[in-house]
Amino acid sequence: MAAMEQAVGPVVGSRRMVDAPTRVLHAVLAVSFFGAWLSAEAEGWRTLHVTLGYTAGAAVLLRLLWAALGPRHARLLPRLRPAWTLPVQVLEAARAGLGRARPAGGVSPAAGPAGATGASGLRLLGALHAATVAALLGATLLTVASGWLNLQGAGGEVAEELHELLGNGMLALVGLHLAGLIAASVHAGHNRLLAMLTGRLPGRGPDLVRRNHAGIALVLLATVAAFWGWRALQAPDEMVVAYEQQHEHHHGAGEAAAPGEED
């Protein structure tokens, strides 16, 4: 993790805000989701799709475990609590915007309403960020569960359609999540997306995260690499099984159509 921070470049007057295990799990989840989404429609990449789906689900479960057993700064509940205020923040931002847009007597709005609009907008961004993170965590687990049911042949077309719907919904949530981070970066005047790469944000003072826990992050990376390697060794056998199942399906469909042709 120290090498990553050096590669991106030191940030003058910065503080560590995110530890290494959190950043690793975030990166694994992001890579796994996009890889699984891109390979969803390709039958020849089914093993890759399933492998990345399981990895994404495991990343979420490990993040929840790290939040429960890890240090205080890794807890999720304080970060997600603003999500419950999202409806209130939307109304407050709307009211502040209307109050600023309609000055009394045609006089320009004072600094007070403008400041209130900025503060309400910042709270809205925080609530939106928390809501999208909570939705992404839950949607990931639901998507993986529906995919597993689909693999077991349970649920039929319902499970298949639900899996596809959840996957596309996650893509929309990711877009909303990134848009919120970009808006927050513009408001703060620095790139907040870099926090998940370097773990640091501009600012003076002591690190809010004193220990980086790089050893745990390396163990997580090694575990993911080992799982991917094991799944790669299984890929040829799974492709043969998938081909045989597809061949039997087409053969059975042809036999079922034969009596109708004779009639």
Side-chain angles (χ1 to χ4, degrees), residues 12-40:
V12 179
S14 64
R15 297 189 294 172
R16 182 185 293 121
M17 308 291 287
V18 186
D19 61 28
T22 301
R23 285 146 52 200
V24 164
L25 291 173
H26 183 273
V28 168
L29 177 58
V31 170
S32 298
F33 166 70
F34 281 113
W37 188 83
L38 291 173
S39 59

Side-chain angles (χ1 to χ4, degrees), residues 108-134:
S108 298
T117 303
S120 62
L122 186 60
R123 289 194 297 269
L124 176 60
L125 286 176
L128 181 62
H129 173 77
T132 53
V133 170

Side-chain angles (χ1 to χ4, degrees), residues 151-172:
L151 282 177
Q152 307 307 312
E157 293 185 1
V158 175
E160 184 176 353
E161 293 296 330
L162 177 62
H163 185 64
E164 183 176 353
L165 179 64
L166 287 170
N168 291 330
M170 282 189 64
L171 184 64

Side-chain angles (χ1 to χ4, degrees), residues 136-161:
L136 279 170
L137 293 175
T140 300
L141 296 178
L142 289 175
T143 305
V144 174
S146 63
W148 182 83
L149 288 175
N150 194 29
L151 282 177
Q152 307 307 312
E157 293 185 1
V158 175
E160 184 176 353
E161 293 296 330

Side-chain angles (χ1 to χ4, degrees), residues 34-184:
F34 281 113
W37 188 83
L38 291 173
S39 59
E41 300 298 330
E43 188 64 30
W45 296 95
R46 181 179 180 182
T47 299
L48 175 64
H49 178 75
V50 173
T51 300
L52 293 177
Y54 286 156
T55 305
V60 171
L61 292 177
L62 287 172
R63 181 62 184 93
L64 296 176
L65 184 65
W66 183 239
L69 303 180
R72 178 180 298 178
H73 63 260
R75 295 176 184 173
L76 277 173
L77 188 58
R79 298 172 182 266
L80 301 182
R81 189 175 290 118
W84 298 103
T85 68
L86 181 59
V88 176
Q89 300 304 334
V90 170
L91 291 175
E92 287 188 359
R95 290 171 181 170
L98 289 174
R100 185 180 180 184
R102 295 185 299 182
V107 182
S108 298
T117 303
S120 62
L122 186 60
R123 289 194 297 269
L124 176 60
L125 286 176
L128 181 62
H129 173 77
T132 53
V133 170
L136 279 170
L137 293 175
T140 300
L141 296 178
L142 289 175
T143 305
V144 174
S146 63
W148 182 83
L149 288 175
N150 194 29
L151 282 177
Q152 307 307 312
E157 293 185 1
V158 175
E160 184 176 353
E161 293 296 330
L162 177 62
H163 185 64
E164 183 176 353
L165 179 64
L166 287 170
N168 291 330
M170 282 189 64
L171 184 64
L173 286 172
V174 169
L176 189 61
H177 178 59
L178 292 175
L181 285 176
I182 293 173

Side-chain angles (χ1 to χ4, degrees), residues 179-195:
L181 285 176
I182 293 173
S185 298
V186 172
H187 188 277
H190 56 258
N191 191 346
R192 299 184 68 89
L193 281 75
L194 286 179

